[in-house]
Amino acid sequence: AGNVRVEGLYFDRQSPGPYEIFTNPLVSGSSVHVGLSAQSYPFPAPTGIADVRLRIPGDKLIGSAVFGYGPYAKVFTEVDGEIPIIEDRLSVGVGLGYTKDDNPYGARPDNILAAFVGRWRPSENIEILPFWSFKKTNGLGRRPGVYTGGPYLPPRIERHVLYSQRWFPNKIADLNFGVIANTTLSDNWRLKAGVFRSLVVRDTWSVSLFRNTQADGTADESVVFFPRQEFGSVSGEVSLSSVMTTGTWRHTVHIAGRGRVVARDFGGSDTKSLGKATIGVVRVLPEPTYTFSALSTDRGRQGTGGVTYEGVWGRFAEFSLGLQKTYYRRTLKQPNAPEDITRDSPWLPTATIAVHATDKLAAFGSYTRGL
């Protein structure tokens, strides 16, 4: 959908969680642009924009450390530093972290975090920001999924007890890196570009299911095992922007091109029935033998070009008009099935308007189409 940005540039993330875009040591903050706050944001998405700001190092030697405990028995620590190498030219920032989670369903996985970001200014008008972010999770016991056998609630169970089997602890690695370049071409024109790599590797992965759960808590337990899977993408954007002022009007034009190449593996799972069980009750069973089948592959390509204009009339009103053209192709290959290809190339228009009646009252409206 194009609704995640890094320093304003399009980034196609593969992180599994809704908020896990980068590790904490790399990020100084983020902002969400939706509704009125998205009025002046170039190329908004229907669901809003999440824009991540990097922790860009400055020209001072800085170090910080934090240690925390809770909620539950979670333990976390983080050490960060900013190191100037050449004053006003070259500096680096590094961060390391470790957490021992304590999830309410009983799992206690270990998380190792690391990040690096550099700032290089070869000239007064050029800034280059390389970055790298890594997270490794080990021992993530799977949250059991409980499905009742009828229209009733299952019995209450004790919280903080992991009653799924533990011979297949989930392990996942999350890697994101890239480089951003900014340059000022003239008093009115600015060029910005970025290219990014996002990769998630599931070394081991399983799903624990308790089906046909009865009112007394008895259920049919099964576990779905998955082989090693990878989810990866390369994405980026080039954006050219101009800002001009005439009287009380400010005119802004954005011309941008963005794209992504996505490759994902999925499927190949093996399901094992473990017989009758009771939810909330721990039982230890021997580990079965897994037989994985061939993986399915999902390959996607998308390229988008667009232009948008924004006009601002003092503090009274603002409006924008934008148009994008995107080309999308997805190829799905599954074992013993014909290749499935999906194509689309829609036009994506955007229009916004806002009128500020007073400093505290504004009326606005917008139209955005997304893929």
Side-chain angles (χ1 to χ4, degrees):
N3 58 351
V4 176
R5 312 283 169 87
V6 179
E7 295 290 333
L9 296 173
Y10 168 67
F11 170 69
D12 182 58
R13 68 180 182 127
Q14 297 299 312
S15 302
Y19 307 109
E20 297 175 352
I21 299 177
F22 295 126
T23 56
N24 187 60
L26 185 67
V27 177
S28 67
S30 62
S31 57
V32 176
H33 301 267
V34 66
L36 184 60
S37 66
Q39 292 282 305
S40 60
Y41 201 90
F43 308 110
T47 51
I49 296 292
D51 196 353
V52 178
R53 298 185 302 274
L54 301 180
R55 188 179 293 181
I56 300 174
D59 293 318
K60 294 182 179 180
L61 181 64
I62 299 176
S64 65
V66 62
F67 174 82
Y69 180 82
Y72 298 99
K74 178 179 179 178
V75 178
F76 62 93
T77 183
E78 182 182 325
V79 179
D80 301 297
E82 295 182 14
I83 306 170
I85 299 175
I86 302 176
E87 184 177 359
D88 201 34
R89 292 292 183 184
L90 181 63
S91 55
V92 298
V94 294
L96 293 172
Y98 171 81
T99 64
K100 182 72 171 181
D101 283 333
D102 193 31
N103 295 317
Y105 61 92
R108 298 208 65 194
D110 297 288
N111 300 283
I112 300 172
L113 315 175
F116 162 86
V117 60
R119 184 184 65 128
W120 177 37
R121 299 186 65 192
S123 69
E124 294 296 327
N125 297 328
I126 300 176
E127 182 180 63
I128 299 174
L129 306 171
F131 68 86
W132 176 85
S133 172
F134 175 79
K135 178 181 180 180
K136 181 66 179 292
T137 301
N138 293 308
L140 179 59
R142 192 61 179 171
R143 181 201 305 267
V146 178
Y147 301 87
T148 59
Y152 50 80
L153 290 175
R156 290 182 178 272
I157 60 175
E158 184 179 351
R159 184 175 296 189
H160 212 258
V161 174
L162 183 62
Y163 56 92
S164 59
Q165 301 299 317
R166 307 190 184 190
W167 358 267
F168 210 65
N170 296 332
K171 299 179 181 180
I172 185 169
D174 187 355
L175 176 65
N176 296 283
F177 59 90
V179 61
I180 297 172
N182 304 303
T183 181
T184 301
L185 303 178
S186 67
D187 292 340
N188 298 325
W189 290 92
R190 183 183 182 188
L191 182 65
K192 196 171 186 179
V195 60
F196 313 108
R197 171 66 168 164
S198 180
L199 179 66
V200 173
V201 178
R202 292 176 173 176
D203 287 325
T204 57
W205 197 255
S206 64
V207 176
S208 179
L209 302 174
F210 290 79
R211 294 189 174 99
N212 194 32
T213 304
Q214 301 300 304
D216 62 356
T218 58
D220 299 320
E221 183 182 2
S222 61
V223 181
V224 184
F225 303 95
F226 295 90
R228 175 187 170 94
Q229 298 175 340
E230 292 189 4
F231 310 83
S233 71
V234 176
S235 59
E237 178 179 347
V238 177
S239 176
L240 182 64
S241 302
S242 172
V243 180
M244 293 171 284
T245 302
T246 56
T248 59
W249 281 91
R250 186 179 76 242
H251 309 277
T252 305
V253 176
H254 299 282
I255 304 170
R258 64 171 65 108
R260 62 174 178 149
V261 178
V262 184
R264 300 188 182 100
D265 301 325
F266 65 96
S269 62
D270 186 15
T271 301
K272 297 296 184 181
S273 176
L274 304 180
K276 290 293 183 179
T278 301
I279 63 170
V281 177
V282 178
R283 62 176 188 154
V284 180
L285 299 177
E287 182 176 1
T289 301
Y290 322 117
T291 303
F292 298 126
S293 57
L295 289 171
S296 300
T297 60
D298 184 359
R299 303 291 184 262
R301 293 177 178 269
Q302 184 179 357
T304 304
V307 59
T308 183
Y309 165 81
E310 176 196 353
V312 178
W313 180 33
R315 296 185 303 169
F316 306 106
E318 58 185 291
F319 73 95
S320 68
L321 294 172
L323 185 64
Q324 299 180 85
K325 179 68 172 179
T326 188
Y327 298 90
Y328 174 80
R329 174 188 170 99
R330 179 191 183 194
T331 303
L332 181 64
K333 295 182 179 179
Q334 296 178 285
N336 305 316
E339 186 176 83
D340 183 15
I341 299 177
T342 302
R343 296 183 177 90
D344 203 358
S345 56
W347 289 95
L348 308 177
T350 300
T352 69
I353 187 169
V355 178
H356 300 269
T358 70
D359 291 339
K360 298 182 179 180
L361 179 63
F364 70 93
S366 65
Y367 174 85
T368 305
R369 186 186 181 198
L371 178 63

Coordinates of all heavy atoms in Angstrom, one line a residue, residues 32-112:
V32 N 2.5 9.5 12.6 CA 1.5 8.9 11.8 C 0.7 10.1 11.2 O 0.2 11.0 11.9 CB 0.5 8.0 12.6 CG1 -0.6 7.5 11.8 CG2 1.3 6.8 13.2
H33 N 0.5 10.0 9.8 CA -0.2 11.1 9.1 C -1.5 10.5 8.6 O -1.5 9.7 7.7 CB 0.7 11.6 8.0 CG 2.0 12.2 8.4 ND1 2.2 13.5 8.7 CD2 3.2 11.6 8.6 CE1 3.4 13.7 9.1 NE2 4.0 12.6 9.0
V34 N -2.6 11.0 9.1 CA -3.9 10.5 8.7 C -4.9 11.7 9.0 O -4.7 12.5 9.9 CB -4.3 9.2 9.4 CG1 -4.5 9.5 10.9 CG2 -5.6 8.7 8.8
G35 N -5.9 11.8 8.2 CA -6.9 12.9 8.4 C -6.2 14.2 8.0 O -5.6 14.4 7.0
L36 N -6.4 15.2 8.9 CA -5.9 16.5 8.7 C -4.4 16.6 8.7 O -3.8 17.4 7.9 CB -6.4 17.5 9.8 CG -6.1 19.0 9.7 CD1 -6.6 19.5 8.4 CD2 -6.6 19.7 10.9
S37 N -3.7 15.7 9.5 CA -2.3 15.7 9.5 C -1.6 15.2 8.2 O -0.5 15.4 8.0 CB -1.8 14.9 10.7 OG -2.1 13.5 10.5
A38 N -2.4 14.5 7.3 CA -2.0 14.0 6.1 C -2.2 15.0 4.9 O -1.9 14.7 3.8 CB -2.6 12.7 5.8
Q39 N -2.8 16.1 5.2 CA -3.2 17.0 4.1 C -2.0 17.5 3.3 O -2.1 17.6 2.1 CB -3.9 18.3 4.7 CG -5.3 18.0 5.3 CD -6.3 17.8 4.2 OE1 -6.6 18.7 3.4 NE2 -7.0 16.7 4.3
S40 N -0.9 17.8 3.9 CA 0.3 18.3 3.2 C 1.3 17.3 3.0 O 2.5 17.6 2.6 CB 0.9 19.5 4.0 OG 1.3 19.1 5.3
Y41 N 1.0 16.0 3.2 CA 2.0 14.9 3.1 C 1.9 14.4 1.6 O 0.8 14.1 1.2 CB 1.7 13.8 4.1 CG 2.9 13.0 4.3 CD1 3.9 13.3 5.3 CD2 3.2 11.9 3.5 CE1 5.0 12.5 5.5 CE2 4.3 11.1 3.7 CZ 5.2 11.4 4.7 OH 6.3 10.7 5.0
P42 N 3.1 14.3 0.9 CA 3.0 13.9 -0.5 C 2.6 12.4 -0.6 O 3.1 11.6 0.2 CB 4.4 14.1 -1.0 CG 5.3 14.1 0.3 CD 4.4 14.7 1.4
F43 N 1.8 12.1 -1.5 CA 1.4 10.8 -1.8 C 0.9 10.0 -0.6 O 1.4 9.0 -0.2 CB 2.5 10.0 -2.5 CG 3.1 10.7 -3.7 CD1 4.4 11.2 -3.6 CD2 2.4 10.9 -4.8 CE1 5.0 11.9 -4.6 CE2 3.0 11.6 -5.9 CZ 4.2 12.1 -5.8
P44 N -0.2 10.4 0.0 CA -0.7 9.7 1.2 C -1.4 8.4 0.8 O -1.7 8.2 -0.4 CB -1.8 10.7 1.8 CG -2.2 11.5 0.6 CD -1.0 11.6 -0.3
A45 N -1.5 7.5 1.7 CA -2.2 6.2 1.5 C -3.5 6.3 2.2 O -3.7 7.0 3.2 CB -1.3 5.1 2.1
P46 N -4.5 5.5 1.7 CA -5.8 5.5 2.4 C -5.8 5.2 3.8 O -6.7 5.7 4.6 CB -6.6 4.5 1.6 CG -6.0 4.4 0.2 CD -4.5 4.7 0.5
T47 N -4.9 4.3 4.3 CA -4.9 3.9 5.7 C -4.0 4.8 6.5 O -3.7 4.6 7.7 CB -4.4 2.5 5.8 OG1 -3.2 2.3 5.0 CG2 -5.4 1.5 5.3
G48 N -3.4 5.9 5.9 CA -2.5 6.8 6.6 C -1.1 6.4 6.4 O -0.8 5.4 5.8
I49 N -0.2 7.3 6.8 CA 1.3 7.1 6.6 C 2.0 7.0 7.9 O 1.7 7.8 8.8 CB 1.9 8.3 5.8 CG1 1.3 8.3 4.4 CG2 3.4 8.2 5.8 CD1 1.7 7.2 3.5
A50 N 2.8 6.0 8.1 CA 3.7 5.9 9.2 C 5.1 6.2 8.8 O 5.7 5.5 7.9 CB 3.7 4.4 9.8
D51 N 5.7 7.3 9.3 CA 7.0 7.8 8.9 C 7.9 7.7 10.0 O 7.7 8.2 11.1 CB 6.9 9.3 8.4 CG 8.1 9.7 7.6 OD1 9.0 8.9 7.5 OD2 8.0 10.9 7.1
V52 N 9.0 6.9 9.8 CA 10.0 6.6 10.8 C 11.2 7.6 10.7 O 11.7 7.8 9.6 CB 10.5 5.1 10.7 CG1 11.5 4.9 11.8 CG2 9.3 4.2 10.9
R53 N 11.6 8.1 11.8 CA 12.8 9.0 11.9 C 13.9 8.2 12.5 O 13.8 7.6 13.5 CB 12.5 10.2 12.7 CG 11.4 11.1 12.1 CD 11.2 12.4 12.9 NE 10.9 12.2 14.3 CZ 9.7 11.9 14.8 NH1 8.7 11.9 14.0 NH2 9.5 11.7 16.1
L54 N 15.1 8.3 11.8 CA 16.3 7.6 12.3 C 16.9 8.4 13.4 O 16.8 9.6 13.4 CB 17.2 7.4 11.1 CG 16.7 6.6 9.9 CD1 17.9 6.4 8.9 CD2 16.3 5.2 10.4
R55 N 17.7 7.7 14.2 CA 18.5 8.4 15.2 C 19.8 8.8 14.6 O 20.8 8.1 14.7 CB 18.7 7.4 16.4 CG 19.3 8.0 17.6 CD 19.5 7.0 18.7 NE 18.2 6.6 19.3 CZ 18.0 5.8 20.3 NH1 19.1 5.2 20.8 NH2 16.8 5.4 20.7
I56 N 19.8 10.0 13.9 CA 20.9 10.4 13.2 C 22.0 11.0 14.1 O 21.7 11.9 14.9 CB 20.5 11.5 12.1 CG1 19.5 10.9 11.2 CG2 21.7 12.0 11.4 CD1 18.8 11.9 10.2
P57 N 23.2 10.5 14.0 CA 24.3 11.0 15.0 C 24.7 12.4 14.6 O 24.7 12.9 13.5 CB 25.4 10.0 14.7 CG 25.2 9.5 13.3 CD 23.7 9.5 13.1
G58 N 25.1 13.2 15.7 CA 25.5 14.6 15.5 C 27.0 14.7 15.7 O 27.8 13.8 15.5
D59 N 27.4 15.9 16.2 CA 28.8 16.2 16.3 C 29.3 16.2 17.7 O 30.4 16.7 18.0 CB 29.1 17.6 15.6 CG 28.9 17.6 14.1 OD1 29.3 16.6 13.5 OD2 28.3 18.5 13.6
K60 N 28.6 15.6 18.6 CA 29.0 15.4 20.0 C 29.1 14.0 20.4 O 28.3 13.1 19.9 CB 28.0 16.1 20.9 CG 27.9 17.6 20.8 CD 27.0 18.2 21.8 CE 26.9 19.7 21.7 NZ 26.0 20.3 22.6
L61 N 30.1 13.7 21.2 CA 30.3 12.3 21.7 C 29.2 12.1 22.8 O 29.2 12.8 23.8 CB 31.7 12.1 22.3 CG 32.0 10.8 22.8 CD1 32.0 9.7 21.7 CD2 33.4 10.8 23.5
I62 N 28.3 11.1 22.6 CA 27.2 10.9 23.5 C 27.1 9.4 23.8 O 27.3 8.6 22.8 CB 25.9 11.4 22.9 CG1 26.0 12.9 22.7 CG2 24.7 11.0 23.8 CD1 24.7 13.4 22.0
G63 N 26.9 9.0 25.0 CA 26.6 7.6 25.4 C 25.4 7.6 26.3 O 25.2 8.5 27.1
S64 N 24.7 6.5 26.2 CA 23.5 6.3 27.1 C 23.3 4.9 27.4 O 23.6 4.0 26.5 CB 22.3 7.0 26.6 OG 21.9 6.4 25.4
A65 N 22.7 4.6 28.5 CA 22.4 3.2 28.8 C 21.1 3.2 29.6 O 20.8 4.1 30.4 CB 23.5 2.5 29.6
V66 N 20.3 2.1 29.5 CA 19.1 2.0 30.2 C 18.9 0.5 30.6 O 19.3 -0.4 29.8 CB 17.9 2.5 29.3 CG1 17.7 1.6 28.0 CG2 16.6 2.5 30.1
F67 N 18.3 0.3 31.7 CA 17.9 -1.0 32.2 C 16.5 -0.9 32.7 O 16.1 0.0 33.4 CB 18.9 -1.5 33.3 CG 18.5 -2.8 33.9 CD1 18.8 -4.0 33.3 CD2 17.7 -2.8 35.1 CE1 18.4 -5.2 33.8 CE2 17.4 -4.0 35.7 CZ 17.7 -5.2 35.0
G68 N 15.7 -1.9 32.4 CA 14.3 -1.9 32.8 C 13.8 -3.3 33.2 O 14.4 -4.3 32.8
Y69 N 12.8 -3.3 34.0 CA 12.1 -4.5 34.5 C 10.6 -4.3 34.4 O 10.1 -3.3 34.9 CB 12.6 -4.8 35.9 CG 12.0 -6.1 36.5 CD1 12.5 -7.3 36.2 CD2 10.8 -6.0 37.3 CE1 12.0 -8.5 36.7 CE2 10.3 -7.2 37.8 CZ 10.8 -8.4 37.5 OH 10.3 -9.5 38.0
G70 N 9.9 -5.3 33.8 CA 8.5 -5.3 33.7 C 8.0 -4.8 32.4 O 8.8 -4.3 31.6
P71 N 6.7 -5.0 32.1 CA 5.7 -5.7 32.9 C 5.9 -7.2 33.0 O 6.8 -7.7 32.3 CB 4.4 -5.4 32.2 CG 4.8 -5.2 30.7 CD 6.2 -4.6 30.8
Y72 N 5.2 -7.8 34.0 CA 5.5 -9.2 34.4 C 6.9 -9.3 34.8 O 7.4 -8.4 35.6 CB 5.1 -10.2 33.2 CG 3.7 -10.1 32.8 CD1 3.2 -9.4 31.7 CD2 2.7 -10.8 33.6 CE1 1.9 -9.3 31.4 CE2 1.4 -10.8 33.2 CZ 1.0 -10.0 32.2 OH -0.4 -10.0 31.8
A73 N 7.7 -10.2 34.3 CA 9.1 -10.3 34.7 C 10.0 -10.0 33.5 O 11.1 -10.5 33.4 CB 9.4 -11.7 35.2
K74 N 9.6 -9.1 32.6 CA 10.4 -8.8 31.5 C 11.6 -8.0 31.9 O 11.5 -7.1 32.8 CB 9.6 -7.9 30.5 CG 10.4 -7.4 29.3 CD 9.5 -6.6 28.3 CE 10.3 -6.1 27.1 NZ 9.5 -5.4 26.2
V75 N 12.8 -8.3 31.3 CA 14.0 -7.6 31.6 C 14.6 -7.1 30.3 O 14.6 -7.8 29.3 CB 15.0 -8.5 32.3 CG1 16.4 -7.8 32.5 CG2 14.5 -9.1 33.6
F76 N 15.0 -5.8 30.3 CA 15.6 -5.3 29.1 C 16.7 -4.3 29.4 O 16.7 -3.6 30.4 CB 14.5 -4.6 28.2 CG 13.8 -3.4 28.8 CD1 14.3 -2.1 28.6 CD2 12.7 -3.6 29.6 CE1 13.7 -1.0 29.2 CE2 12.1 -2.5 30.2 CZ 12.6 -1.2 30.0
T77 N 17.7 -4.2 28.5 CA 18.8 -3.3 28.6 C 19.2 -2.8 27.2 O 19.0 -3.6 26.2 CB 20.0 -3.9 29.3 OG1 21.0 -3.0 29.5 CG2 20.5 -5.1 28.5
E78 N 19.7 -1.6 27.2 CA 20.1 -1.0 25.9 C 21.2 -0.1 26.1 O 21.2 0.7 27.1 CB 18.9 -0.3 25.2 CG 19.3 0.2 23.8 CD 18.1 1.0 23.2 OE1 16.9 0.6 23.5 OE2 18.3 2.0 22.6
V79 N 22.2 -0.1 25.2 CA 23.4 0.8 25.3 C 23.5 1.5 23.9 O 23.6 0.8 22.9 CB 24.7 0.1 25.7 CG1 25.9 1.0 25.7 CG2 24.6 -0.6 27.0
D80 N 23.6 2.8 23.9 CA 23.7 3.5 22.6 C 24.8 4.5 22.7 O 25.2 5.0 23.8 CB 22.4 4.3 22.4 CG 21.2 3.4 22.3 OD1 21.2 2.5 21.4 OD2 20.3 3.5 23.1
G81 N 25.3 4.9 21.5 CA 26.4 5.8 21.5 C 26.5 6.6 20.2 O 26.1 6.0 19.1
E82 N 26.9 7.8 20.2 CA 27.1 8.6 19.0 C 28.6 9.1 19.0 O 29.1 9.6 20.0 CB 26.2 9.8 18.9 CG 24.7 9.5 18.8 CD 23.8 10.7 18.7 OE1 24.4 11.8 18.5 OE2 22.6 10.5 18.9
I83 N 29.3 8.8 17.9 CA 30.7 9.1 17.9 C 31.0 10.0 16.7 O 30.9 9.6 15.5 CB 31.5 7.8 17.7 CG1 31.1 6.8 18.8 CG2 33.0 8.0 17.7 CD1 31.6 5.4 18.6
P84 N 31.5 11.2 16.9 CA 31.9 12.1 15.8 C 33.3 11.7 15.3 O 34.2 11.5 16.2 CB 31.9 13.5 16.4 CG 32.1 13.3 17.8 CD 31.5 11.9 18.2
I85 N 33.5 11.5 14.0 CA 34.8 11.2 13.5 C 35.5 12.4 12.9 O 36.7 12.7 13.1 CB 34.7 10.0 12.5 CG1 34.1 8.8 13.2 CG2 36.0 9.7 11.9 CD1 33.8 7.6 12.3
I86 N 34.8 13.1 12.0 CA 35.3 14.3 11.4 C 34.2 15.4 11.6 O 33.0 15.2 11.2 CB 35.5 14.2 9.9 CG1 36.5 13.1 9.6 CG2 36.0 15.5 9.3 CD1 36.8 12.8 8.1
E87 N 34.5 16.4 12.3 CA 33.5 17.4 12.7 C 32.7 17.9 11.5 O 33.3 18.3 10.5 CB 34.2 18.6 13.4 CG 33.2 19.6 14.0 CD 33.9 20.7 14.7 OE1 35.1 20.7 14.9 OE2 33.2 21.6 15.2
D88 N 31.4 17.9 11.7 CA 30.4 18.4 10.7 C 30.5 17.6 9.4 O 29.9 18.0 8.4 CB 30.6 19.9 10.4 CG 29.4 20.5 9.8 OD1 28.3 20.0 10.2 OD2 29.5 21.4 9.0
R89 N 31.3 16.5 9.3 CA 31.4 15.7 8.1 C 31.0 14.3 8.3 O 30.2 13.7 7.5 CB 32.9 15.8 7.6 CG 33.3 17.1 7.1 CD 32.5 17.5 5.8 NE 33.0 18.8 5.3 CZ 32.5 19.5 4.3 NH1 31.4 18.9 3.7 NH2 32.9 20.6 3.9
L90 N 31.5 13.6 9.3 CA 31.3 12.2 9.4 C 31.1 11.8 10.9 O 31.9 12.2 11.8 CB 32.6 11.4 8.9 CG 32.5 9.9 8.9 CD1 31.4 9.4 8.1 CD2 33.8 9.3 8.5
S91 N 30.1 11.1 11.2 CA 29.8 10.6 12.5 C 29.0 9.3 12.4 O 28.3 9.0 11.4 CB 29.0 11.6 13.3 OG 27.8 12.0 12.7
V92 N 29.0 8.5 13.5 CA 28.4 7.2 13.5 C 27.6 7.1 14.8 O 28.0 7.6 15.8 CB 29.3 6.0 13.3 CG1 30.0 6.1 11.9 CG2 30.3 6.0 14.4
G93 N 26.5 6.3 14.7 CA 25.8 5.9 15.9 C 25.6 4.4 16.0 O 25.4 3.8 14.9
V94 N 25.7 3.9 17.2 CA 25.6 2.4 17.3 C 24.7 2.2 18.5 O 24.6 3.0 19.5 CB 27.0 1.7 17.5 CG1 27.8 1.8 16.3 CG2 27.7 2.4 18.7
G95 N 24.1 1.0 18.5 CA 23.2 0.6 19.6 C 23.2 -0.9 19.8 O 23.1 -1.6 18.8
L96 N 23.1 -1.4 21.0 CA 23.0 -2.8 21.3 C 21.9 -2.9 22.4 O 21.8 -2.1 23.3 CB 24.3 -3.4 21.8 CG 25.5 -3.4 20.8 CD1 26.8 -3.9 21.5 CD2 25.1 -4.4 19.7
G97 N 21.2 -4.0 22.3 CA 20.1 -4.2 23.3 C 19.9 -5.7 23.5 O 20.2 -6.5 22.6
Y98 N 19.3 -6.0 24.6 CA 18.9 -7.4 24.9 C 17.6 -7.3 25.8 O 17.5 -6.5 26.7 CB 20.0 -8.1 25.7 CG 19.5 -9.4 26.3 CD1 19.5 -10.6 25.5 CD2 19.1 -9.5 27.6 CE1 19.1 -11.8 26.0 CE2 18.6 -10.8 28.1 CZ 18.6 -11.9 27.3 OH 18.2 -13.1 27.8
T99 N 16.7 -8.2 25.4 CA 15.4 -8.3 26.2 C 15.1 -9.7 26.5 O 15.4 -10.6 25.7 CB 14.2 -7.6 25.5 OG1 13.9 -8.4 24.3 CG2 14.5 -6.2 25.2
K100 N 14.6 -10.0 27.7 CA 14.1 -11.3 28.1 C 12.6 -11.0 28.3 O 12.2 -10.5 29.4 CB 14.8 -11.8 29.3 CG 14.3 -13.2 29.8 CD 14.8 -14.3 28.8 CE 14.5 -15.7 29.4 NZ 15.0 -16.7 28.5
D101 N 11.8 -11.4 27.3 CA 10.4 -11.1 27.4 C 9.7 -12.1 28.3 O 10.2 -13.2 28.6 CB 9.7 -11.2 26.0 CG 10.0 -10.0 25.1 OD1 10.2 -8.9 25.7 OD2 10.0 -10.1 23.9
D102 N 8.6 -11.6 28.8 CA 7.8 -12.5 29.7 C 6.3 -12.3 29.3 O 5.6 -11.5 29.9 CB 8.0 -12.1 31.2 CG 7.4 -13.1 32.1 OD1 7.4 -14.3 31.8 OD2 6.9 -12.8 33.2
N103 N 5.9 -13.1 28.3 CA 4.6 -12.9 27.7 C 3.5 -13.4 28.6 O 3.7 -14.4 29.4 CB 4.5 -13.6 26.4 CG 5.4 -12.9 25.3 OD1 5.5 -11.7 25.3 ND2 6.1 -13.8 24.6
P104 N 2.3 -12.8 28.6 CA 1.2 -13.3 29.5 C 0.8 -14.7 29.3 O 0.1 -15.3 30.2 CB 0.1 -12.3 29.2 CG 0.4 -11.7 27.9 CD 1.9 -11.7 27.8
Y105 N 1.1 -15.3 28.1 CA 0.7 -16.7 27.9 C 1.9 -17.7 28.3 O 1.8 -18.9 28.1 CB 0.3 -16.9 26.5 CG 1.3 -16.6 25.4 CD1 2.2 -17.6 25.0 CD2 1.5 -15.4 24.9 CE1 3.1 -17.4 24.0 CE2 2.4 -15.1 23.9 CZ 3.2 -16.1 23.5 OH 4.2 -15.8 22.5
G106 N 3.0 -17.1 28.9 CA 4.0 -18.0 29.5 C 5.3 -18.1 28.7 O 6.3 -18.6 29.3
A107 N 5.4 -17.6 27.5 CA 6.7 -17.7 26.7 C 7.7 -16.7 27.2 O 7.3 -15.6 27.6 CB 6.4 -17.6 25.3
R108 N 8.9 -17.1 27.3 CA 10.0 -16.2 27.7 C 11.1 -16.2 26.7 O 12.2 -16.7 26.9 CB 10.5 -16.6 29.1 CG 9.5 -16.5 30.2 CD 10.2 -16.2 31.5 NE 10.8 -14.9 31.5 CZ 11.7 -14.5 32.4 NH1 12.1 -15.3 33.4 NH2 12.2 -13.3 32.4
P109 N 10.9 -15.6 25.5 CA 12.0 -15.6 24.5 C 13.1 -14.6 24.8 O 12.9 -13.6 25.5 CB 11.2 -15.2 23.2 CG 10.1 -14.4 23.7 CD 9.7 -14.9 25.0
D110 N 14.3 -14.8 24.2 CA 15.4 -13.9 24.2 C 15.4 -13.1 22.9 O 15.2 -13.6 21.9 CB 16.7 -14.6 24.4 CG 16.8 -15.4 25.7 OD1 16.9 -14.7 26.7 OD2 16.7 -16.6 25.7
N111 N 15.7 -11.8 23.0 CA 15.8 -10.9 21.9 C 17.1 -10.2 21.9 O 17.5 -9.5 22.9 CB 14.7 -9.9 21.8 CG 13.3 -10.6 21.8 OD1 12.9 -11.0 20.8 ND2 12.6 -10.6 22.9
I112 N 17.9 -10.3 20.8 CA 19.1 -9.5 20.7 C 18.9 -8.5 19.7 O 18.5 -8.7 18.5 CB 20.3 -10.5 20.3 CG1 20.5 -11.5 21.4 CG2 21.6 -9.7 20.1 CD1 21.5 -12.6 21.0

